[in-house]
RNA sequence: GGGGCGGUAGAUCAAUUGGUUAGAGCACCGGACUGUCGAUCCGGAGGUUGCGGGUUCGAUUCCCGUCCGCCUCGCCA
């Protein structure tokens, strides 16, 4: 086999005259009867090969090349004549005048041609992932992903972090997402759980005195996937000793600065901070997208002066009325606003009262009900002619926030109000430690049960649980949560109190987290950390909203790998080894 | 578990209120062509309309069930 000398994105005018050998896949072929052109593609790019009839043997071989054949060719780098350069290719100034070509592997006709010109459905892409990954776009994404991981490792190495691996076969813990279980053959009837995150291990590492830990690690959560969520995903996980929240945030901010600078040549300014309560109040979200306005404005007092039943009955039940002003939104049609009204129902809204502003007054929609307070509304909302006002009304403020929070994003997208080149970073801080779960009738951690309450709130832990804030922080970029973390509890007594108020009694805490409570008793340094979704970071850098695009081998919404056809039934023998018997129907595939 | 959209040639899509032999550009095969680069021109082959059932003289089209993919609610400490 000819030994390759260069890759397919390497050669330029300066290399003219060199004898070279290139190897790769046939991206395209153009047979002109006499001269034949082959676009040879490898991981890095494309170079045009030329075959002239004078090199009879090579010409004849080239004549048989088709899409995705694997070949290696020898030739001389020649300059393309005036007007024949291809400005679309970095290598477009030159071509290889080939004297030899060797077909290394004939390809069957591929199910699809891996270039951007041919559209392919995602199902086919996943089934033939090896071909899909050949597309320059996918190569670029995986290259970016590699670079991000490299920048992370270099950065944390400089900062004195150790990369330490933690187990995949773990103890199942209560709280949190559903665990993926792995039957333990050596202890029949018992199970390991795949880690939802290495949370406990990294805290243990701090107790061990490792000081600073980092890991790029796979995590598993057995919940239904979404466009930006997979059951199996990757975190940048880190933990630091003897630090406070600011230290962790500063460390991570600098990392993001470096990544955005090196990958996109974008400067990340000092990241502002916003308390959770303010984020919810102004944006109806704990991860507000600050690229556009449309803030939530409380109009409960004005709404209370109307006779509009929707408003008054919600207020009578202790609810609130908030509104957002959509600049220029009056141009939306009845059909469009009706569509939004239908859309918000999924978030618990009864409907979506709206009105438009015309001649300085409310007009259309619910105008006839709120006519008497028109001036107050216009003033409070700073509304102008041509605006649309959308109201969020409910007996529960959480519903109002959710509805308007989702709505402002939806409208911003629909009305094209988002500048795609803009990056709005934000630390959300001062989270409540817990929130009340009405369904389960108990307190649940907003973050996780190891998050430290702020010192000033320690006394309120039992007496005013809902008012306790935690030392937690989330990094938000353009309305998406990149990661979150906290300062941890490092005192066993505090940890025990938190477990207790989460409804994890002494015995259960002992059983499930005994090792952590023990570890905290044997000299635990104050510590804290954070975890980022690596996949989400790469999604932002590559400009995709599909997490499957940034994973080499993702799974479908059904949890299937269409290429390997996992999951699959297993032999009866395997089940026997594990002391398992199936009691449910087996899914056919 | 719920809601929505989709499944037709290798791939991407089309097919009138149910009506003749299910079409198109791309890919594939054959031919022509010595400067293309999404080459061009001529010709050809290629279909269990996801699967099962039903209504009908007749179903890609209507109904029921089921499988698969996507979006989403629930879920995601």
């Amino acid at each position: 086999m000819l030994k390759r000398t260069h890759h397919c994105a390497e050669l330029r005018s300066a290399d003219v005259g060199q004898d070279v050998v290139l190897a790769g896949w046939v991206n395209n072929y153009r047979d002109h009867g006499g001269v034949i052109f082959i676009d040879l593609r490898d991981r890095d790019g494309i170079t045009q090969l030329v075959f002239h009839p004078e090199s009879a043997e090579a010409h004849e071989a080239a004549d048989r090349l088709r899409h995705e054949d694997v070949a290696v060719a020898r030739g001389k780098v020649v300059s393309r004549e005036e007007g024949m350069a291809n400005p679309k290719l970095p290598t477009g100034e030159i071509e290889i005048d080939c004297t030899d070509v060797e077909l290394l592997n004939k390809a069957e006709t591929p199910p699809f041609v891996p270039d951007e010109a041919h559209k392919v459905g995602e199902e086919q892409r996943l089934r033939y992932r090896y071909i899909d990954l050949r597309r320059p776009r996918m190569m670029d994404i995986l290259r970016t992903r590699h670079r991000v991981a490299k920048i992370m490792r270099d950065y944390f190495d400089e900062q004195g972090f150790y990369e330490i691996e933690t187990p995949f076969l773990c103890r199942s813990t209560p709280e949190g997402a559903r665990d993926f279980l792995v039957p333990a053959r050596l202890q029949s009837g018992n199970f390991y759980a795949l880690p939802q995150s290495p949370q406990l291990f990294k805290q243990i590492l701090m107790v061990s005195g490792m000081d600073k830990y980092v890991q790029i690690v796979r995590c598993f959560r057995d919940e239904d996937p979404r466009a930006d969520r997979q059951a199996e995903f990757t975190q940048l996980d880190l933990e630091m000793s003897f630090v406070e929240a600011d230290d962790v945030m500063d460390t991570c901010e600098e990392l993001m600065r470096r990544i955005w600078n090196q990958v996109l040549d974008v400067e990340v300014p000092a990241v502002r901070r916003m308390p959770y309560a303010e984020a919810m109040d102004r944006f109806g979200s704990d991860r507000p997208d600050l690229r556009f306005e449309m803030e939530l404005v409380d109009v409960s007092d004005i709404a209370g002066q109307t006779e509009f039943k929707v408003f008054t009955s919600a207020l009578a039940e202790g609810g609130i009325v908030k509104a957002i002003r959509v600049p220029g939104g009056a141009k939306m049609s009845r059909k469009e606003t009706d569509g939004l009204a239908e859309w918000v129902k999924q978030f618990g809204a009864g409907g979506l009262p709206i009105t438009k502003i015309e001649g300085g007054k409310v007009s259309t929609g619910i105008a006839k009900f709120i006519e008497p307070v028109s001036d107050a509304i216009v003033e409070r909302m700073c509304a102008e002619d041509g605006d649309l006002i959308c109201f969020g009304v409910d007996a529960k403020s959480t519903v109002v926030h959710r509805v308007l929070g989702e709505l402002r994003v939806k409208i911003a997208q629909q009305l094209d109000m988002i500048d795609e080149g803009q990056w709005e970073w934000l630390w959300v801080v001062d989270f409540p430690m817990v929130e009340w779960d009405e369904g389960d009738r108990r307190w649940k951690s907003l973050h996780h049960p190891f998050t430290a309450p702020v010192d000033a709130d320690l006394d309120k832990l039992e007496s005013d649980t809902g008012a306790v804030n935690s030392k937690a922080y989330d990094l938000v970029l353009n309305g998406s949560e990149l990661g979150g973390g906290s300062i941890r509890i490092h005192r066993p007594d505090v940890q025990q109190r938190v477990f207790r108020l989460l409804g994890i009694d002494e015995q259960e805490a002992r059983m499930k987290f005994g090792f952590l409570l023990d570890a905290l008793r044997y000299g635990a340094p104050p510590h804290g950390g954070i975890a980022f979704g690596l996949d989400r970071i790469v999604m932002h850098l590559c400009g995709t909203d599909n997490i499957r695009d940034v994973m080499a081998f993702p799974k479908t919404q059904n949890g299937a790998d269409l290429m390997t056809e996992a999951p699959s039934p297993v032999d009866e023998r395997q089940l026997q080894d594990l002391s398992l018997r199936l009691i449910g129907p087996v899914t056919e595939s």
Side-chain angles (χ1 to χ4, degrees), chain A residues 478-586:
Chain A
N478 293 351
S480 111
E481 184 196 324
L482 285 191
S486 62
I487 297 300
R488 325 298 184 189
I489 298 167
H490 68 279
R491 280 169 43 187
D493 59 319
V494 176
Q495 185 66 73
Q496 218 134 15
R497 284 166 70 193
V498 170
F499 279 155
R500 197 176 307 132
L501 65 87
L502 289 174
I504 304 173
D505 64 40
E506 207 100 353
Q507 199 188 342
E508 189 183 0
R510 230 13 290 154
M511 202 170 71
K512 305 275 169 81
F513 301 112
F515 63 99
L516 176 70
L517 292 171
D518 286 345
L520 294 180
R521 291 206 327 256
Y522 286 110
H527 62 286
I530 194 167
F532 293 96
L534 176 66
D535 312 285
R536 292 218 180 138
I537 290 173
V538 178
M539 283 167 69
H540 274 102
L541 294 169
C542 294
T544 176
D545 51 14
N546 179 349
I547 197 171
R548 295 179 298 278
D549 278 349
V550 301
M551 296 179 158
F553 303 106
K555 289 177 177 58
T556 67
Q557 200 140 90
N558 228 342
D561 178 335
L562 296 181
M563 184 179 70
T564 65
E565 296 184 298
S568 67
V570 295
D571 292 342
E572 184 58 33
R573 180 62 187 275
Q574 290 175 282
L575 292 176
Q576 268 176 27
D577 281 349
L578 298 166
S579 309
L580 294 178
R581 186 178 304 132
L582 300 177
I583 59 168
V586 174

Side-chain angles (χ1 to χ4, degrees), chain A residues 36 38 57-66 69 103 106:
Chain A
I36 295 173
I38 302 286
E57 203 175 317
H59 186 266
E60 197 177 312
D63 189 39
R64 288 190 297 270
L65 292 177
R66 291 295 181 271
D69 285 347
L103 176 64
K106 183 74 190 166

Side-chain angles (χ1 to χ4, degrees), chain A residues 45-69:
Chain A
I46 290 175
T47 299
Q48 176 168 282
L49 311 180
V50 198
F51 296 84
H52 291 286
E54 291 73 37
S55 303
E57 203 175 317
H59 186 266
E60 197 177 312
D63 189 39
R64 288 190 297 270
L65 292 177
R66 291 295 181 271
H67 281 288
E68 300 309 306
D69 285 347

